[in-house]
Amino acid sequence: MERTTPDAAAPDTRPGVRASAGLPKALPKLDKREQPAAAREAVFKLRDVRVTYGGVAAVEEVTFDLLENEITAFIGPSGCGKSTLIRCLNRMNDLVPSARVAGTVLYHDQDLYAGDVDPVQVRKRIGMVFQKPNPFPKSIYENIAFGPRVLGMKGDMDEIVEGALRKGALWDEVKDRLKTNAFGMSGGQQQRLCIARTMAVEPDVILMDEPCSALDPISTGAIEELMLDLKRNYSIVIVTHNMQQAARVSDRTAFFNVDKLEEGKRVGKLVEFAPTEKIFTKPDDIRTEEYVTGKFG
C-alpha cells in the first residue's frame, strides 16, 4: 500500500484499512506515572513500513512498537534511513513530492495516513526538533507564542510562554529578556527554545532528529538531562550518531544498516530493536555488535 499526501476530505478506500473518523479531538488522558514497560501502551505501531523517493527505496521492512514515556533511539550509519523513518511518524515526508510510504503507521491505534486525518493536527500532536536550532527571527516570547496563536489555543499567553520555557529548562535563563531576539541566544539555548516551542502546543510525542549534533558537550549534556526529565510526561524518539548518547538516554534502541543491492543501489533496513542495554552489551546480530563497538559506521 503506497501513500501519497492524501486529500483530507477524501474517504480512505484502501483495502484492509478500516474506516476512521480521523484523530480524536482530544486524546484520552494517559497515566504518566512511571510504569513497567509491559504495562505501557504503544504510542506507535509500525508494520512493514517502506519509504521510497522517486520509486527508489530509502528504508524498508520496518516493524516495531514504540512505547509511551520512553526514549527510543534510532542509530546506524549514514544513509540507512533513520531520518526518513522518523519523518514518517508525523508525516513530514508529505512535504516531499516524490516520497511514498507503504505499510502501516498507527498512532494510538489510529492510522496516521488515513484519508481523513489532517497532517497539521498530526504535527501538533507529534512535534519535531531538528538537527540545527531554527528559532524564528522574533523575540524569545514570540517564538513560544507563535504556535499557540496560530492554533487558536485559549488561555493566558504569558502563562503558556512561561510554562513552555520552564518545561524547556530555559525560564530562569531568559525570564528577564523575553523581548530580545532569539538569535542572540547561544546554540544550546536556541535548541532548548525550539524544544520549548514544540511543547507550547501541548504535543504527546517529541521527535528529535540529531538535536545535539551542532552543540558543544556542555549544551549536549543540558539537552540530554532535559530529555530524561521530559520522558515522564512525553514519549520521545531521537535519531543520533552518538553511540554514547544513545546509551545514556534511551530506553530502547533500533539499529538500522544499509544493504547493498544490485547496480550499486542501497536501502536501509532495520537490523535489531531491543532494550538499549541489550543492544550495547549483548545484541543478537553480529552487525549490531560491530557497529556499536566501532568496527564500522
Side-chain angles (χ1 to χ4, degrees):
M1 297 180 293
E2 286 198 348
R3 290 90 175 271
T4 59
T5 306
D7 182 345
D12 188 359
T13 58
R14 289 174 289 131
V17 177
R18 66 181 183 277
S20 169
L23 294 178
K25 291 184 178 180
L27 287 172
K29 292 292 184 182
L30 301 176
D31 184 357
K32 297 297 185 180
R33 295 172 296 178
E34 292 192 6
Q35 304 173 0
R40 296 187 188 129
E41 295 181 2
V43 179
F44 293 103
K45 296 178 182 178
L46 279 66
R47 298 294 181 267
D48 198 23
V49 172
R50 181 175 190 261
V51 186
T52 62
Y53 294 108
V56 178
V59 62
E60 62 185 14
E61 299 178 9
V62 179
T63 295
F64 52 48
D65 292 353
L66 304 181
L67 303 185
E68 67 176 1
N69 302 114
E70 285 194 347
I71 300 175
T72 303
F74 292 175
I75 64 172
S78 297
C80 67
K82 305 182 299 295
S83 293
T84 292
L85 186 66
I86 200 172
R87 283 168 166 76
C88 289
L89 301 181
N90 70 343
R91 292 186 52 171
M92 289 294 290
N93 282 327
D94 287 13
L95 305 176
V96 181
S98 63
R100 300 290 184 272
V101 179
T104 302
V105 182
L106 300 181
Y107 167 66
H108 291 293
D109 291 324
Q110 298 283 328
D111 185 354
L112 277 185
Y113 288 83
D116 54 1
V117 171
D118 182 357
V120 174
Q121 289 301 314
V122 169
R123 294 171 198 139
K124 175 187 174 184
R125 306 277 180 83
I126 308 168
M128 191 160 197
V129 177
F130 296 93
Q131 183 173 0
K132 293 182 179 180
N134 58 344
F136 301 144
K138 300 175 180 288
S139 69
I140 295 170
Y141 184 99
E142 290 300 325
N143 263 269
I144 302 297
F146 180 84
R149 283 197 184 118
V150 169
L151 293 171
M153 292 175 59
K154 297 180 180 180
D156 183 276
M157 190 57 67
D158 290 346
E159 292 181 0
I160 291 173
V161 170
E162 179 178 345
L165 289 171
R166 286 189 182 279
K167 290 176 183 177
L170 199 55
W171 173 252
D172 289 338
E173 298 175 36
V174 303
K175 62 184 178 182
D176 297 324
R177 54 188 180 109
L178 295 176
K179 301 302 182 181
T180 62
N181 195 296
F183 287 170
M185 306 170 77
S186 70
Q189 288 176 325
Q190 287 185 6
Q191 192 66 303
R192 280 184 285 151
L193 178 68
C194 292
I195 294 172
R197 186 176 66 194
T198 297
M199 292 187 293
V201 297
E202 302 177 355
D204 177 48
V205 179
I206 303 173
L207 310 178
M208 299 184 175
D209 190 359
E210 298 189 58
C212 302
S213 64
L215 302 181
D216 61 83
I218 293 176
S219 297
T220 295
I223 297 293
E224 290 179 359
E225 288 180 10
L226 177 59
M227 284 191 283
L228 291 170
D229 185 56
L230 290 175
K231 80 168 185 175
R232 291 180 297 177
N233 296 299
Y234 301 90
S235 306
I236 299 173
V237 184
I238 178 174
V239 169
T240 181
H241 281 283
N242 186 327
M243 296 300 96
Q244 292 77 18
Q245 181 175 76
R248 285 192 298 263
V249 305
S250 68
D251 299 286
R252 296 174 191 273
T253 297
F255 168 58
F256 297 83
N257 199 11
V258 178
D259 276 5
K260 295 181 180 179
L261 307 177
E262 59 200 24
E263 300 177 358
K265 294 181 180 179
R266 297 155 60 92
V267 62
K269 291 189 177 182
L270 175 65
V271 174
E272 190 167 352
F273 179 65
T276 295
E277 183 178 2
K278 176 176 174 58
I279 290 289
F280 282 91
T281 60
K282 196 176 179 181
D284 291 331
D285 195 292
I286 186 62
R287 292 169 294 176
T288 308
E289 180 178 348
E290 289 178 347
Y291 183 78
V292 300
T293 56
K295 292 183 179 179
F296 78 96

